[in-house]
Amino acid sequence: MATKTLEAQPGTVLIVDDNEGNRLLLASQLQKAGYHTLLARHGQEGIEIAEKSPPDLILLDVLMPGMNGFEVCAHLKRQTQTAFIPIIMVTALREIEYRIRGIEAGADEFLHRPHHREELLVRVRSLIQLKRTRQNLEQERNRLQLLYNISQAINTQLNLNQMMSDIISNTQTAVGAQKGMVVLLSERGQVTKKISIRAGSQAVVSDQLAPEVFNKGLVGWLIRHNRAETIADTSQDERWITLPDEPEPVGSAIGVPLARADRMVGVLILIHREPNYFQPEHLALLETVGGQLTAAVENAFLFNEINDQRQRLEALLAQSSDAIITTDENGKVALVNHAAEALFGLTEAEIAGTPLAQVQQFAAILPLFEDGDHRRNGEVSLNGGRILHASVSAIPGVGYVAVMQDITELKRIEQERLDRERQEKNKVKETFSRYMGPSLSEHVLSKEASLLARRERRLAVVLFADLRGFTRMVVNIEADLAIRILNEHFTRMTEIVYGFNGAVFDLTGDELMVGFNVPFDQPDAVPRAVLTALRMQMVFNGLRQSWYDETGTELGLGIGIDRGRVVVGNVGAETRMNFAMVGEAVPTAHRLVSLANDGQIVISEAVYTVLQQDRPELLELLTLRTVGPVSLKGKSQPQLIHVAQCPRTQLVPHEQVLEPIG
């Protein structure tokens, strides 16, 4: 809607001609008369210039290579952006058929070569003035249409959000703005609503406004100064605050306060991506719109207030599904609706005028009437097992009103929901019981309820324990005996893991995988893992003799431990999920257990370093020997490993010095 007055510069003329002499002659004559000129050497270049920087008028040669003047003219007249630009066809062709063809293409005038300078200037000046007059008429029509649309929105809409959205949308369309925003204030000057619309998008309604915008930005400035203002270049004005959620650049802004005599109602702001876009006529129009908008906001507030009161009254007295009892200021029964009569088994005629406290059926709700200055809510139980939700409010000058809803069925449904949640909790407990001991499962349920849904990286200690000789033994014994021995082994080993608060992640074949510092924090994870390994070797020493007596085969146990980064989470397919641990430390620990012989505990350099710093006494207990460097799968460089040989007769006490979980 930006305009240029006729007294401004004469205008810009685009000259499209493949002949350089013709271009320069026309440009020289126009420039001497004060016009700004743009030059194009052929039709396509002329189209590109006209669409990028629309001129006030185009002088177009007819005979040009590629696209001729008729084709260029027809193309420009089909485009919305260039359709209203006057075009003068300049040609030496005088036959009537060429003139008809030019008119059909949309040409506004013709200038024959050789032309007279005075004729050129008269035609250019008259067409540019005609174009500007047409623009001014169109702008005035748009202004009147905008005011009419706003009037319609005010008269047909009482919903505040919808009315504001309609007015903002119409205003920004008429002005050509990219975004419009209305901020509404309470009587105390606090922001109650922000409605913003981007061109072509739906309204966004919020009750929040960034404090810096309110305190230092244009919104606050308009409120404090109570006058309209234009920011020509937002990048040069400290009153424009750019927020992180503003995806598009803002070049200029314009705003008006919405104020009545006694208070500030809010502000209306429009923005455009180009600097210096908004003109004085925009400001005048916006001030007119602001006056209408202020009245519309006041009407909407009044309507909403009356409507809220009406709805509250209807909710109290017209909802037959709720039991309603009213009293006067002295606590005497004034009204009992049909739902209340049916609920309490009495009639209004029997108790009207009776003090509420003397009606035996109302004994359960009497406590809610004790504090008459405030609204009281609560659940009450009636004889027969029915449960009510009652709300008692004081109405100044009238008395009290009690609204009661029968929520017996809702309470039953709620109980069913709690039962389902309890069942779900038991399922979670059952799931985690596969990985950790009962005490640790209870800890997870009470303090780590969302553990199954978490996916996270952790610094874990991974332990693998692998039976030696079991595969050879299975070939020579009965299946039942083999499974019993394997179950006994896993049972005793997992009991040890649970004793040290480790998590059993996998039982595969004759191998056990255990994690520490997963899935929750264990600052002493390394000594926990080492003591678990020692305890496993000690207990295994007590088991192997009985197995040998039964099978004639000697079984052994090797253990490998590493420390490193892993990813923990629920992994699997839709039909089967496992709480799993993956990462470099897992294959490294598995490689270490494959290197461990019977009775050996093999630890990585990472585990050794932690023991050296935090628990050197365990290193003395282990009596380690260093081996390597050894190439380990997944490691780019050979690694030192440390091997402890546990004698079959060695007794390792089950230490109780670790920090408790939780």
Side-chain angles (χ1 to χ4, degrees):
M1 191 172 170
T3 62
K4 302 175 184 177
T5 62
L6 297 179
E7 290 71 29
Q9 62 177 358
T12 300
V13 178
L14 170 61
I15 302 170
V16 185
D17 197 315
D18 64 319
N19 186 292
E20 183 177 10
N22 291 339
R23 291 197 305 271
L24 294 178
L25 174 62
L26 291 170
S28 173
Q29 292 174 339
L30 291 170
Q31 289 169 5
K32 288 181 180 179
Y35 292 95
H36 175 65
T37 59
L38 302 172
L39 305 181
R41 295 164 297 178
H42 50 77
Q44 186 58 44
E45 185 179 20
I47 290 173
E48 292 173 359
I49 293 175
E51 291 178 347
K52 182 178 180 181
S53 303
D56 293 298
L57 182 137
I58 299 175
L59 291 175
L60 181 60
D61 184 28
V62 172
L63 299 179
M64 293 184 294
M67 294 181 70
N68 62 42
F70 301 127
E71 294 170 331
V72 174
C73 181
H75 176 87
L76 292 174
K77 291 297 183 178
R78 286 195 300 267
Q79 308 305 312
T80 302
Q81 188 178 6
T82 57
F84 294 102
I85 300 176
I87 297 178
I88 299 178
M89 305 289 285
V90 183
T91 178
L93 302 173
R94 295 179 178 272
E95 289 80 359
I96 188 64
E97 60 265 25
Y98 293 109
R99 190 177 183 88
I100 293 172
R101 188 175 174 185
I103 293 173
E104 290 175 344
D108 296 274
E109 265 290 3
F110 293 85
L111 184 66
H112 294 286
R113 290 196 177 100
H115 68 274
H116 295 284
R117 176 179 176 276
E118 290 74 12
E119 181 185 5
L120 168 68
L121 296 179
V122 167
R123 292 182 185 274
V124 169
R125 182 170 60 252
S126 61
L127 282 179
I128 290 179
Q129 287 178 345
L130 180 61
K131 172 178 175 285
R132 289 175 176 172
T133 300
R134 184 187 305 164
Q135 285 179 328
N136 290 336
L137 290 173
E138 181 67 17
Q139 290 160 4
E140 180 62 19
R141 188 192 70 82
N142 290 339
R143 187 184 75 85
L144 294 174
Q145 183 64 47
L146 169 62
L147 296 178
Y148 172 78
N149 291 341
I150 292 175
S151 176
Q152 286 293 101
I154 293 173
N155 293 330
T156 60
Q157 278 285 356
L158 285 173
N159 179 282
L160 184 61
N161 289 353
Q162 187 60 52
M163 182 177 64
M164 292 294 100
S165 300
D166 291 346
I167 293 175
I168 298 171
S169 180
N170 280 300
T171 304
Q172 75 178 38
T173 300
V175 173
Q178 269 78 50
K179 181 179 178 181
M181 176 178 68
V182 166
V183 177
L184 301 180
L185 306 176
S186 68
E187 292 185 358
R188 296 183 178 181
Q190 298 173 329
V191 175
T192 60
K193 192 181 296 290
K194 182 184 77 172
I195 304 172
S196 58
I197 302 180
R198 294 187 184 280
S201 302
Q202 296 294 319
V204 177
V205 182
S206 171
D207 59 357
Q208 301 292 324
L209 183 70
E212 58 267 35
V213 174
F214 188 79
N215 296 326
K216 299 179 181 180
L218 181 59
V219 171
W221 190 95
L222 293 170
I223 293 171
R224 290 190 298 274
H225 292 81
N226 193 17
R227 66 180 177 86
E229 180 69 358
T230 301
I231 296 180
D233 188 347
T234 57
S235 65
Q236 304 299 319
D237 197 307
E238 62 182 9
R239 293 173 297 178
W240 188 256
I241 308 296
T242 301
L243 298 177
D245 62 348
E246 186 65 48
E248 299 177 356
V250 176
S252 54
I254 186 171
V256 295
L258 308 178
R260 65 182 193 185
D262 56 341
R263 78 176 185 92
M264 182 69 64
V265 175
V267 297
L268 167 64
I269 293 176
L270 302 178
I271 63 175
H272 196 278
R273 67 171 63 94
E274 297 177 5
N276 302 305
Y277 177 81
F278 295 110
Q279 303 299 318
E281 57 267 24
H282 292 136
L283 194 61
L285 176 61
L286 218 58
E287 287 178 323
T288 302
V289 172
Q292 292 185 293
L293 193 53
T294 302
V297 171
E298 288 297 301
N299 291 340
F301 279 155
L302 181 60
F303 171 78
N304 288 338
E305 183 178 352
I306 295 174
N307 193 50
D308 288 344
Q309 292 177 353
R310 179 182 58 81
Q311 289 179 347
R312 283 195 295 269
L313 183 60
E314 289 180 353
L316 290 173
L317 300 177
Q319 292 182 3
S320 60
S321 60
D322 292 341
I324 300 174
I325 300 172
T326 66
T327 72
D328 60 19
E329 292 182 291
N330 297 320
K332 295 181 179 180
V333 176
L335 180 147
V336 180
N337 74 346
H338 293 304
E341 290 177 336
L343 182 65
F344 290 99
L346 45 73
T347 65
E348 181 181 355
E350 295 173 345
I351 59 174
T354 304
L356 193 72
Q358 295 180 12
V359 181
Q360 183 179 358
Q361 292 91 329
F362 295 158
I365 64 173
L366 282 178
L368 297 177
F369 284 83
E370 292 176 357
D371 187 358
D373 295 331
H374 299 88
R375 182 169 181 167
R376 300 288 300 274
N377 297 282
E379 291 184 6
V380 294
S381 299
L382 302 181
N383 294 334
R386 304 200 72 77
I387 302 173
L388 307 179
H389 179 270
S391 175
V392 178
S393 302
I395 304 177
V398 177
Y400 306 92
V401 59
V403 180
M404 290 154 286
Q405 295 175 322
D406 188 341
I407 59 172
T408 307
E409 182 65 15
L410 292 178
K411 297 294 287 187
R412 184 190 65 78
I413 295 173
E414 175 67 12
Q415 185 59 47
E416 290 181 353
R417 184 186 65 81
L418 292 175
D419 291 341
R420 287 195 299 270
E421 287 184 357
R422 192 177 299 109
Q423 292 173 2
E424 189 66 26
K425 185 176 181 180
N426 288 336
K427 288 182 181 178
V428 175
K429 182 177 180 180
E430 182 182 343
T431 298
F432 276 102
S433 295
R434 295 161 49 196
Y435 301 96
M436 56 195 73
S439 62
L440 214 51
S441 297
E442 290 296 334
H443 167 76
V444 167
L445 288 174
S446 62
K447 297 186 177 181
E448 306 279 353
S450 62
L451 201 58
L452 275 177
R454 280 169 24 197
R455 286 102 169 124
E456 58 182 348
R457 295 184 182 275
R458 299 191 68 87
L459 182 60
V461 179
V462 183
L463 179 151
F464 275 92
D466 187 29
L467 277 175
R468 298 288 185 260
F470 182 77
T471 303
R472 183 175 66 255
M473 182 189 72
V474 169
V475 176
N476 300 314
I477 66 174
E478 294 294 330
D480 289 345
L481 178 58
I483 295 300
R484 181 174 62 78
I485 291 174
L486 189 61
N487 288 343
E488 184 178 359
H489 165 69
F490 280 139
T491 298
R492 297 299 301 276
M493 294 302 108
T494 54
E495 288 174 352
I496 296 169
V497 172
Y498 295 160
F500 287 95
N501 287 329
V504 177
F505 277 86
D506 203 2
L507 297 172
T508 305
D510 55 6
E511 191 173 68
L512 178 71
M513 182 174 76
V514 180
F516 296 88
N517 203 45
V518 285
F520 43 81
D521 293 337
Q522 290 176 314
D524 54 354
V526 169
R528 281 182 187 271
V530 171
L531 289 171
T532 301
L534 288 169
R535 185 71 177 174
M536 283 178 167
Q537 290 288 9
M538 185 195 76
V539 171
F540 190 84
N541 282 335
L543 295 171
R544 75 168 83 217
Q545 183 62 47
S546 63
W547 293 339
Y548 180 76
D549 293 342
E550 289 187 86
T551 66
T553 303
E554 182 176 359
L555 297 178
L557 181 67
I559 298 175
I561 308 174
D562 186 34
R563 179 175 184 260
R565 293 287 176 183
V566 299
V567 175
V568 184
N570 230 15
V571 176
E574 186 174 328
T575 56
R576 179 178 174 84
M577 300 292 290
N578 284 312
F579 196 68
M581 171 174 60
V582 295
E584 185 179 0
V586 176
T588 300
H590 194 268
R591 175 61 176 152
L592 294 178
V593 77
S594 69
L595 297 175
N597 294 323
D598 177 24
Q600 289 185 345
I601 301 172
V602 181
I603 66 174
S604 66
E605 182 69 14
V607 175
Y608 180 85
T609 300
V610 174
L611 291 176
Q612 197 173 38
Q613 294 174 352
D614 300 340
R615 297 293 295 273
E617 72 276 10
L618 287 182
L619 292 178
E620 296 179 7
L621 183 64
L622 290 170
T623 60
L624 296 166
R625 63 184 177 86
T626 302
V627 178
V630 176
S631 296
L632 297 177
K633 185 177 180 180
K635 299 287 187 181
S636 59
Q637 298 294 331
Q639 305 287 313
L640 291 175
I641 62 174
H642 306 274
V643 182
Q645 183 67 50
C646 301
R648 293 190 177 194
T649 58
Q650 182 178 5
L651 298 177
V652 180
H654 187 73
E655 294 190 10
Q656 301 295 331
V657 295
L658 301 176
E659 297 180 7
I661 297 301

